Amino acid sequence: MSFQAYLATIERTAGKTPADLRAMAAARRWVAGGGLAPGVKPMAIVDALKAELALGHGHAMSVVALLRGARKEGDR
């Protein structure tokens, strides 16, 4: 599955676009300076996304990659 397919599935199932996910992360202070904020653990984000949006582990990890800046919309 491509990265873009992960994002499309998240939007379809959880109703969250990449912009929504970035806004959620900013509101929770998970991000700073184009990456994860100091002290924020990726698994804390994964656990929150699984619990609140019912995402699977792989989909939640793709959101972490998006927030870290390691991947972006349109990546395969």
Side-chain angles (χ1 to χ4, degrees):
M1 180 179 275
S2 72
F3 185 71
Q4 188 58 45
Y6 273 100
L7 295 179
T9 300
I10 292 167
E11 186 169 356
R12 191 170 53 253
T13 60
K16 301 290 184 190
T17 65
D20 295 333
L21 295 165
R22 285 189 188 101
M24 177 184 192
R28 294 172 185 220
R29 297 188 176 137
W30 290 342
V31 292
L36 295 185
V40 173
K41 303 290 185 196
M43 286 310 297
I45 297 171
V46 168
D47 291 343
L49 294 172
K50 285 176 162 184
E52 295 171 32
L53 301 180
L55 297 183
H57 186 80
H59 287 85
M61 287 300 295
S62 69
V63 174
V64 171
L66 180 74
L67 299 177
R68 282 183 142 161
R71 303 295 297 264
K72 60 184 185 308
E73 296 94 326
D75 282 355
R76 295 191 128 243

